[in-house]
Amino acid sequence: MINFTLNPPANIGIIGGGQLGKMLSIKAKSLGYTVTILDPNPFAPAMSVADHKIIANFSDVESIKKLANLCEVITYEFEHIDADILIDLENTGHIVIPSGKTLKLIQDKYEQKSFLKSINITVPEFYKVTNKEDLINCSKKLGFPFILKSSKGGYDGKGNCVIKSPTDLDWGFEQLNSTNLLAEKYINYSKELSILIAIGKNKECNHYPVVENIHEDSILRLTKAPAKISPSIENKIHEISMKIVESLDDIGLFCIEFFLTANGEVYINEIAPRPHNSGHYTLEACETSQFEQLLRIVTGLPLGSTDLIYPAAMVNVLGNEYVNGAYQYAGLSKILKDDKIYVHLYGKKNTHYLKKLGHITVCDSSLSLAVEKSLNALKNLEIKSND
Amino acid sequence: MINFTLNPPANIGIIGGGQLGKMLSIKAKSLGYTVTILDPNPFAPAMSVADHKIIANFSDVESIKKLANLCEVITYEFEHIDADILIDLENTGHIVIPSGKTLKLIQDKYEQKSFLKSINITVPEFYKVTNKEDLINCSKKLGFPFILKSSKGGYDGKGNCVIKSPTDLDWGFEQLNSTNLLAEKYINYSKELSILIAIGKNKECNHYPVVENIHEDSILRLTKAPAKISPSIENKIHEISMKIVESLDDIGLFCIEFFLTANGEVYINEIAPRPHNSGHYTLEACETSQFEQLLRIVTGLPLGSTDLIYPAAMVNVLGNEYVNGAYQYAGLSKILKDDKIYVHLYGKKNTHYLKKLGHITVCDSSLSLAVEKSLNALKNLEIKSND
């Protein structure tokens, strides 16, 4: 393992200028680091809080090399980068966290599940699908309904289909339009859970509390921290998470999503090698936010405490059906009348239906009250057209 | 009083791009606002976290007008601006918070003290000095030592002299080199205290805890929150502060500095119409930081709670005697091993002796332990030459 410490004003390169990159940049800037963002969109949220900007596609090898040459370390805020470019950078002496090898493994869902299976982690039954014949064959093994996914590139439900009956097979295959697919058993879960786990340069490992996530239309709507689960389920999730990050043999901040069934079975859904929407609550509810934690990891600083200070509820602020393009908010005054309500708006130039525009976290000694307050706050936040 | 609410992404104009502007910008950006900074230094700390930059002198009328035309509200992070420019802006319909009238009153120390005296607030005995004859006359009234100050433009001890004996009179007059001076009785104080007080658009008024400040060479070194003072002194300070902000008949965030004598007398030292170095502890130790509070005020949002969550100590990170120009830090790893230690480094390009480069806040259930930890952290933070 590389032993390094980067003190300010070291330059940190972030591939991706979305809200995760923005919140990471803000923490880095507070600590006196320099930040360089690479993103094709010059108006991406992180651009306005960065020292240097590289406007380039994520597949632009020369621009990513330029970023590496400017920065002392590189990290990324999303998975859809050509991992081979990062591996090449590491081979020429650059530091990439998490490593290109880890990204390559995680970004292909079939490879990710195969890896998990190989280390004896319970994943839903899954098969590779490269053509319609594969699809028909595995539908016989999995039964209906089952999930068909693009192995690469999906997020927020994009690249996923539920195949409910044999008549959906052709439709699903055409929808996803790929020869790199994954068919997966449908898990009839009672809860969706996730955990953030941080592993630093000395292989010290801190996990955050297990949280419960509520999705609608495959988009995260609400995170409840902590999840109401039994100590034995919690322990199982800790054990699985530790085993995974140990097996990855890397450093970084990882989010692991789980399905919990009514009879207490735990299946892994996905791993993300970066800060995660379900970890936004850590900004106010934990001693060290997921963004500060990743900053500490990529600069070789000691990990911070992951203790939960208050129970918290986080709701996403999503674009509505009625406004497309430029927009403004209203209603903040009503929301901010109460204490311990934290509004984060990402400053995206345009909205569309279900686009992630921000989030609101509410801390309260009672989790159910926090949930209620967060949903109320969300109702009070209006998104209006600029026209 | 103007009744307004600015919802994101309204553009907030900040005159001054120093650390106060940076920390205010970061909060504004987190809430989805747009930020435009005006400063002559393109590398000023706030510049890298702003959406738009106007590189111009603080006396450049056209540039300040440009800022006003771009932004829905203007605020400032330091006093040394031509207040008449701001008053003109208000007369043409722009919103400036605090108002140009308030700034004009506060930025001239003689006018400030005369105002305080006029509303029956106890200030150290003071006289206007425009020539050497005035100086000799008032030295007879004040006795030695006394303080000679430039009425305008001083900060961090610059523009102040202690006149210890008649032989210092000529030296003091030459040092300050101005015909707009203020001679002030030397107060033999036992403690220096300060309080932040916020007043919003509906004239609602929230005060922060009274804190104790330790200066050396006229530069703030340590803030202890809360100050160890009797409830009666605390009440007296609350009453004085409320009276002042009510008399100013304005909105904004104000810091008021006091001298407390051994026999319990309270004298006002100075008012600042902006966030203050002695209020940095609020970032982690209070429900609402001074920067978020000012943001709420300038956007017409409700005031946030000023409750102290933990006792806290704040120490300034100052440039040392040995390094001039470009620099880097070392030692962060040691400091961040413990919890509840918060390091803020402003990202200034160059250092010099006693320049404010950052600050460290430590929260702890014991204030004396917080002080000890903060001084230790400061010792561990090295500032090294880039050579």
Side-chain angles (χ1 to χ4, degrees):
Chain A
M1 184 48 50
I2 11 165
N3 191 1
F4 65 100
T5 306
L6 302 176
N7 277 291
N11 195 347
I12 296 164
I14 306 173
I15 303 178
Q19 58 268 25
L20 302 173
K22 181 183 178 184
M23 291 183 272
L24 176 58
S25 296
I26 282 178
K27 190 65 216 177
K29 295 293 304 168
S30 298
L31 252 139
Y33 288 97
T34 310
V35 173
T36 304
I37 301 282
L38 183 147
D39 196 287
N41 174 8
F43 300 110
M47 286 299 185
S48 65
V49 290
D51 295 88
H52 309 291
K53 303 160 198 187
I54 298 178
I55 314 298
N57 284 318
F58 301 125
S59 55
D60 177 341
V61 181
E62 286 315 308
S63 293
I64 294 179
K65 274 190 192 163
K66 190 178 154 195
L67 179 73
N69 287 328
L70 273 172
C71 297
E72 275 121 305
V73 64
I74 287 197
T75 188
Y76 40 87
E77 56 130 42
F78 82 139
E79 288 90 81
H80 310 313
I81 312 160
D82 182 347
D84 287 323
I85 302 178
L86 302 185
I87 292 170
D88 284 349
L89 288 179
E90 290 171 283
N91 289 338
T92 54
H94 296 287
I95 307 177
V96 180
I97 297 172
S99 73
K101 182 174 140 268
T102 299
L103 177 63
K104 199 178 170 85
L105 181 73
I106 285 176
Q107 72 184 179
D108 186 304
K109 284 174 192 159
Y110 180 78
E111 297 299 330
Q112 187 191 128
K113 301 250 150 144
S114 303
F115 157 75
L116 292 170
K117 202 174 161 189
S118 76
I119 59 168
N120 295 317
I121 303 274
T122 310
V123 289
E125 186 183 343
F126 68 100
Y127 300 98
K128 199 179 183 78
V129 173
T130 57
N131 54 43
K132 279 200 193 166
E133 205 188 324
D134 287 348
L135 187 60
I136 294 163
N137 284 337
C138 73
S139 76
K140 290 174 189 159
K141 295 180 205 150
L142 293 171
F144 295 96
F146 71 92
I147 314 286
L148 187 63
K149 291 181 175 178
S150 303
S151 272
K152 277 182 143 182
Y155 69 98
D156 285 348
K158 285 161 196 136
N160 280 14
C161 281
V162 182
I163 307 292
K164 291 181 182 157
S165 72
T167 55
D168 285 349
L169 288 170
D170 282 354
W171 166 82
F173 197 76
E174 277 151 30
Q175 279 288 104
L176 298 180
N177 188 28
S178 163
T179 55
N180 185 12
L181 299 172
L182 172 77
E184 195 177 86
K185 193 175 166 70
Y186 180 85
I187 302 295
N188 194 6
Y189 56 83
S190 61
K191 277 183 179 162
E192 289 182 273
L193 306 172
S194 65
I195 189 169
L196 287 165
I197 186 156
I199 180 156
K201 68 176 179 187
N202 301 320
K203 296 284 178 187
E204 73 277 28
C205 197
N206 282 5
H207 57 72
Y208 284 83
V210 180
V211 300
E212 182 181 349
N213 300 311
I214 316 286
H215 290 81
E216 254 174 65
D217 308 311
S218 303
I219 295 179
L220 181 65
R221 303 302 172 106
L222 169 66
T223 295
K224 299 192 234 179
K228 275 191 191 162
I229 49 172
S230 69
S232 66
I233 298 288
E234 200 179 350
N235 285 338
K236 197 190 262 182
I237 287 176
H238 290 168
E239 274 168 35
I240 296 173
S241 310
M242 295 294 272
K243 191 169 181 184
I244 293 171
V245 296
E246 278 165 18
S247 303
L248 284 173
D249 190 29
D250 198 359
I251 69 175
L253 178 78
F254 300 90
C255 179
I256 310 177
E257 293 179 276
F258 297 89
F259 296 125
L260 175 66
T261 67
N263 53 11
E265 289 160 328
V266 168
Y267 293 90
I268 289 206
N269 178 22
E270 264 177 34
I271 307 172
R274 51 161 175 83
H276 193 264
N277 194 167
S278 69
H280 289 353
Y281 77 94
T282 61
L283 278 164
E284 290 90 9
C286 289
E287 287 286 353
T288 309
S289 76
Q290 60 172 346
F291 303 104
E292 176 171 352
Q293 198 71 282
L294 178 56
L295 179 72
R296 285 170 176 245
I297 294 165
V298 302
T299 55
L301 294 171
L303 294 187
S305 160
T306 52
D307 288 356
L308 188 72
I309 310 168
Y310 316 98
M314 188 285 312
V315 284
N316 271 333
V317 175
L318 301 176
N320 60 38
E321 300 169 73
Y322 314 106
V323 186
N324 267 291
Y327 65 103
Q328 53 180 307
Y329 293 99
L332 259 191
S333 284
K334 261 182 264 171
I335 298 167
L336 294 177
K337 269 181 190 142
D338 281 330
D339 294 338
K340 295 197 184 296
I341 299 190
Y342 307 97
V343 178
H344 296 260
L345 300 169
Y346 306 144
K348 294 184 181 179
K349 291 282 166 201
N350 293 298
T351 179
H352 60 66
Y353 184 44
L354 297 182
K355 186 169 181 171
K356 287 181 180 171
L357 301 176
H359 74 269
I360 301 172
T361 298
V362 178
C363 296
D364 198 289
S365 52
S366 144
L367 177 56
S368 58
L369 214 53
V371 170
E372 194 187 315
K373 285 182 184 174
S374 69
L375 295 172
N376 267 333
L378 195 57
K379 263 185 223 150
N380 282 326
L381 188 63
E382 287 173 69
I383 297 162
K384 304 194 306 184
S385 169
N386 260 359
D387 306 334
Chain B
M1 185 48 49
I2 11 166
N3 190 1
F4 66 101
T5 307
L6 302 176
N7 277 291
N11 196 348
I12 296 164
I14 306 172
I15 302 177
Q19 57 268 26
L20 302 173
K22 182 184 178 184
M23 291 183 272
L24 176 58
S25 296
I26 283 179
K27 189 63 215 181
K29 295 293 304 168
S30 297
L31 252 138
Y33 288 97
T34 310
V35 173
T36 304
I37 300 282
L38 184 146
D39 196 286
N41 174 8
F43 300 111
M47 287 298 185
S48 65
V49 290
D51 295 270
H52 308 291
K53 303 159 198 187
I54 297 178
I55 314 300
N57 284 319
F58 300 125
S59 55
D60 178 341
V61 181
E62 286 315 307
S63 294
I64 294 179
K65 273 189 193 163
K66 190 178 153 193
L67 180 73
N69 288 328
L70 273 171
C71 296
E72 275 120 306
V73 64
I74 287 197
T75 187
Y76 40 88
E77 56 130 42
F78 83 140
E79 288 89 79
H80 309 311
I81 312 160
D82 183 347
D84 287 323
I85 302 178
L86 302 186
I87 292 170
D88 284 348
L89 289 178
E90 290 172 282
N91 289 338
T92 53
H94 295 287
I95 307 177
V96 179
I97 298 171
S99 72
K101 181 175 140 267
T102 299
L103 177 63
K104 199 177 171 86
L105 181 73
I106 285 177
Q107 72 184 180
D108 186 303
K109 285 173 190 158
Y110 180 79
E111 296 299 329
Q112 187 191 128
K113 302 250 148 142
S114 303
F115 157 74
L116 292 170
K117 203 176 161 188
S118 77
I119 58 167
N120 295 316
I121 303 275
T122 311
V123 289
E125 187 183 342
F126 68 99
Y127 300 98
K128 199 179 184 77
V129 173
T130 57
N131 54 43
K132 278 200 193 166
E133 205 186 328
D134 287 348
L135 187 60
I136 292 162
N137 284 338
C138 72
S139 76
K140 289 173 189 160
K141 294 181 206 152
L142 294 170
F144 295 95
F146 69 91
I147 313 288
L148 188 63
K149 290 181 176 180
S150 302
S151 272
K152 277 183 143 181
Y155 69 99
D156 285 349
K158 286 162 195 135
N160 280 15
C161 280
V162 182
I163 307 293
K164 291 181 181 158
S165 71
T167 55
D168 286 348
L169 287 171
D170 282 353
W171 165 83
F173 198 75
E174 276 152 30
Q175 277 290 106
L176 298 180
N177 188 30
S178 162
T179 55
N180 186 12
L181 298 172
L182 172 76
E184 195 178 86
K185 192 174 166 68
Y186 180 83
I187 302 296
N188 195 6
Y189 56 82
S190 61
K191 277 184 178 162
E192 289 182 274
L193 305 172
S194 65
I195 190 170
L196 287 165
I197 186 156
I199 180 158
K201 69 174 179 187
N202 301 320
K203 296 283 178 188
E204 73 276 27
C205 195
N206 282 4
H207 57 71
Y208 283 83
V210 179
V211 299
E212 181 181 350
N213 300 313
I214 316 287
H215 291 81
E216 254 174 64
D217 309 311
S218 304
I219 295 180
L220 180 64
R221 303 302 173 108
L222 170 66
T223 296
K224 299 193 236 180
K228 275 191 189 162
I229 49 173
S230 69
S232 66
I233 298 289
E234 200 179 349
N235 285 338
K236 198 191 263 183
I237 287 176
H238 289 168
E239 274 168 35
I240 296 173
S241 310
M242 295 293 273
K243 191 170 181 182
I244 292 172
V245 295
E246 278 165 18
S247 303
L248 284 173
D249 190 28
D250 198 359
I251 69 175
L253 178 78
F254 299 90
C255 180
I256 310 177
E257 292 179 277
F258 297 88
F259 296 125
L260 175 68
T261 66
N263 53 10
E265 289 160 329
V266 167
Y267 293 90
I268 287 205
N269 179 20
E270 263 178 35
I271 307 172
R274 52 159 176 84
H276 194 264
N277 194 166
S278 69
H280 289 354
Y281 77 94
T282 60
L283 277 165
E284 290 89 9
C286 289
E287 286 286 352
T288 309
S289 77
Q290 62 172 347
F291 303 105
E292 176 172 350
Q293 198 71 283
L294 178 57
L295 179 71
R296 286 170 176 244
I297 294 165
V298 302
T299 55
L301 294 171
L303 294 187
S305 160
T306 52
D307 288 356
L308 188 73
I309 310 168
Y310 315 98
M314 189 285 313
V315 285
N316 271 333
V317 175
L318 302 176
N320 61 38
E321 301 170 73
Y322 314 106
V323 186
N324 268 292
Y327 65 104
Q328 52 181 307
Y329 294 98
L332 259 191
S333 284
K334 262 182 263 170
I335 297 168
L336 294 178
K337 269 181 191 145
D338 281 331
D339 295 337
K340 294 197 184 294
I341 301 191
Y342 307 97
V343 178
H344 296 259
L345 300 169
Y346 306 143
K348 294 184 181 178
K349 291 283 166 201
N350 293 299
T351 179
H352 60 67
Y353 184 45
L354 297 184
K355 184 169 180 170
K356 288 181 180 172
L357 301 175
H359 74 269
I360 301 172
T361 298
V362 178
C363 296
D364 199 288
S365 51
S366 144
L367 178 56
S368 58
L369 214 53
V371 170
E372 193 186 317
K373 285 182 184 175
S374 69
L375 295 172
N376 267 333
L378 194 59
K379 263 185 221 151
N380 282 326
L381 188 63
E382 288 173 69
I383 298 162
K384 304 195 305 185
S385 169
N386 259 1
D387 306 334

